[in-house]
Amino acid sequence: MKKLNSIYFILVLIFVSSCTRSDFLIKNALLQSSNVVEIQFSGTPAADFTKTVQIEPAVKIVSSTVENGILKINTSEKFLLDQHYYLVLKNGEKIFIRPDGILDELYSDKPMGYSYENNRLAFRVFAPRAKWVKIVFYDQHDANTGEEMKMTKDQDGVWEFFSEVNKNLNFYGYRVWGPQGNGEVFDSTVVIADPFSPAAVSMNHFTHPAKTLILPEKSNFKWGKDTFTDIDQRDLIIYEMHVRDLTAHPSAQIPEKLKGSYKG
């Protein structure tokens, strides 16, 4: 009888132990800095969990801590933003390590978009996860092909290209290539307009192809006697208006020949 009780007790311990391990569930694996992965989980991880997992491609794990239900893994090598990484469990399961807080570490004081700097045109776009970025210059807004130039990446994830101001540049866009896989949208076959475009042209198409218009350095527009009025932002009422509709309406009370035009 004592032997049966002992066997029963051992079986209970094995069952409880297995339940403790099986209730461990990883919810997210997040890349929070260049050397830190945070694992959000439920349940109880095994004491030797970090000794049984690996990061792929190979990045050496040097230490781990558990704080407020989050397992922090520290590595000896820095993660690359243009590379996919996976947490490989003992059973062979792979969990994607999603870039998260690491993106907040990146900042640049450089002006984005295009700007006139020391008799040069500087073009900049923030794309820290891109593998490469090319700038494409066009003569016409509806051109299908243009002159493509490689851009260079700085330490903050900003891609740059410089050109002479007197060069005949009218329109431009970017081709961007980066990591592929579920959730990724990098497509270098599509030329995209600069996110900081002061003016852009586009076509009515599901890919929304667009080009940025390069404006002159200085505007010769004469404002006449117009001045800016200092109004508290809380008192502002802002309308979005279309020039044609605004000036074509009878309430505009302007000559017929000026209706629907900028002069109107």
Side-chain angles (χ1 to χ4, degrees):
M1 186 68 180
K2 290 183 178 180
K3 187 176 181 180
L4 289 175
N5 287 338
S6 298
I7 294 174
Y8 174 76
F9 180 69
I10 292 172
L11 290 174
V12 169
L13 287 178
I14 293 174
F15 174 76
V16 172
S17 176
S18 64
C19 287
T20 302
R21 290 194 298 269
S22 64
D23 71 350
F24 176 63
L25 177 65
I26 294 178
K27 298 179 179 179
N28 285 300
L30 306 173
L31 189 55
Q32 298 294 21
S33 73
S34 58
N35 295 86
V36 176
V37 175
E38 281 188 358
I39 299 176
Q40 299 174 350
F41 66 90
S42 61
T44 305
D48 62 344
F49 173 73
T50 54
K51 295 180 180 179
T52 62
V53 298
Q54 296 178 336
I55 295 176
E56 186 180 288
V59 177
K60 184 179 180 181
I61 299 174
V62 294
S63 64
S64 63
T65 57
V66 178
E67 299 177 6
N68 301 320
I70 294 178
L71 176 63
K72 288 187 178 181
I73 293 178
N74 298 283
T75 65
S76 60
E77 304 165 51
K78 291 186 176 181
F79 291 95
L80 303 176
L81 282 173
D82 61 358
Q83 171 73 57
H84 276 182
Y85 293 92
Y86 297 87
L87 194 68
V88 183
L89 306 184
K90 187 177 181 179
N91 62 3
E93 180 185 359
K94 291 185 178 182
I95 298 175
F96 177 56
I97 302 176
R98 178 165 56 86
D100 191 51
I102 189 173
L103 298 175
D104 296 332
E105 294 182 351
L106 300 175
Y107 174 79
S108 177
D109 287 320
K110 295 178 180 178
M112 296 295 114
Y114 73 85
S115 57
Y116 290 86
E117 301 175 7
N118 300 321
N119 296 321
R120 294 191 306 173
L121 263 173
F123 300 87
R124 297 187 180 94
V125 62
F126 181 70
R129 299 191 61 238
K131 288 183 177 291
W132 57 257
V133 179
K134 294 180 181 179
I135 187 169
V136 189
F137 294 105
Y138 300 92
D139 293 329
Q140 303 293 329
H141 72 280
D142 56 354
N144 293 321
T145 59
E147 181 183 7
E148 297 191 10
M149 308 295 292
K150 292 182 179 180
M151 304 183 75
T152 57
K153 183 181 180 181
D154 71 7
Q155 69 277 8
D156 297 316
V158 177
W159 295 81
E160 300 177 303
F161 180 80
F162 299 91
S163 176
E164 297 178 4
V165 173
N166 58 4
K167 190 174 182 180
N168 187 25
L169 303 177
N170 299 317
F171 304 90
Y172 74 95
Y174 298 120
R175 293 190 189 276
V176 186
W177 180 250
Q180 299 297 293
N182 291 336
E184 300 289 3
V185 293
F186 289 100
D187 185 355
S188 61
T189 65
V190 177
V191 176
I192 58 176
D194 197 313
F196 283 80
S197 299
V201 293
S202 63
M203 293 191 297
N204 186 20
H205 189 269
F206 74 95
T207 61
H208 196 66
K211 301 179 181 70
T212 297
L213 175 62
I214 301 175
L215 302 175
E217 182 175 9
K218 295 181 180 180
S219 173
N220 295 321
F221 183 79
K222 305 298 182 182
W223 288 95
K225 296 181 180 180
D226 287 348
T227 58
F228 290 98
T229 303
D230 187 14
I231 302 176
D232 192 306
Q233 292 185 1
R234 293 170 295 183
D235 297 329
L236 291 174
I237 299 175
I238 301 175
Y239 290 91
E240 178 184 349
M241 300 181 179
H242 297 267
V243 173
R244 182 189 180 284
D245 297 338
L246 180 67
T247 59
H249 196 273
S251 63
Q253 298 182 358
I254 57 176
E256 188 68 27
K257 65 179 182 179
L258 296 179
K259 288 184 177 182
S261 67
Y262 282 101
K263 288 185 177 181

